[in-house]
Amino acid sequence: MPENSGTTGRTPETHVIDFRAAEQLLDARDPRGAVKLLDRVIDAHPENTAARLLRARAFFAAAQLRPAELEFTIVLEREPDNAFAHFALARTYERQGRADQARRHFRLAAALDPKPQYLKAARFEE
């Protein structure tokens, strides 16, 4: 293990530990703590879609809707068939009062993965 504990001494293993700790913080309802850990992971690995999705969830849980929207959008640019990301982006739009955009992503989520929760939110019967 490097002597320097700053960002230059961080290793891929350290980033995995940070990611797992961020998951635990989010589960423990500390989204801001999760974001802090994930910022370091994403700074080192901006291509890491799983870290971006987790950070988006943390932003959403912290009611930081604009950053959540941006992260969910990045995830969907990389993984357009990610039903959960569509659903979560729709919830973000819904909380922002952007019903038309929310409906579109709810429907995309349901089309990609017909989970009951996604189908109910899609409101195809309307």
Side-chain angles (χ1 to χ4, degrees):
M1 184 109 185
E3 289 178 30
N4 180 354
S5 62
T7 56
T8 58
R10 301 191 64 74
T11 65
E13 293 80 13
T14 308
H15 295 130
V16 170
I17 292 166
D18 284 346
F19 180 87
R20 297 294 178 217
E23 287 179 316
Q24 291 177 350
L25 286 171
L26 189 56
D27 288 343
R29 300 177 194 250
D30 181 4
R32 285 181 168 78
V35 167
K36 287 178 187 173
L37 289 176
L38 291 164
D39 285 347
R40 296 191 306 213
V41 174
I42 292 168
D43 285 347
H45 304 282
E47 75 291 347
N48 188 319
T49 304
R52 288 192 175 276
L53 186 58
L54 188 60
R55 185 165 70 171
R57 290 177 48 217
F59 280 136
F60 183 85
Q64 296 179 11
L65 300 180
R66 184 69 179 132
E69 175 188 343
L70 292 172
E71 288 294 337
F72 285 130
T73 300
I74 290 169
V75 169
L76 287 170
E77 286 171 358
R78 296 174 184 180
E79 297 180 2
D81 61 344
N82 186 320
F84 174 78
H86 279 290
F87 182 77
L89 180 58
R91 286 278 185 234
T92 304
Y93 286 143
E94 186 176 61
R95 285 180 67 183
Q96 293 173 325
R98 296 159 65 186
D100 289 343
Q101 289 171 294
R103 185 176 303 108
R104 177 178 179 269
H105 286 279
F106 280 137
R107 289 181 174 182
L108 283 167
L112 290 165
D113 185 355
K115 287 182 178 178
Q117 172 184 10
Y118 296 175
L119 289 169
K120 182 179 177 187
R123 295 181 292 232
F124 283 117
E125 66 281 353
E126 291 180 9

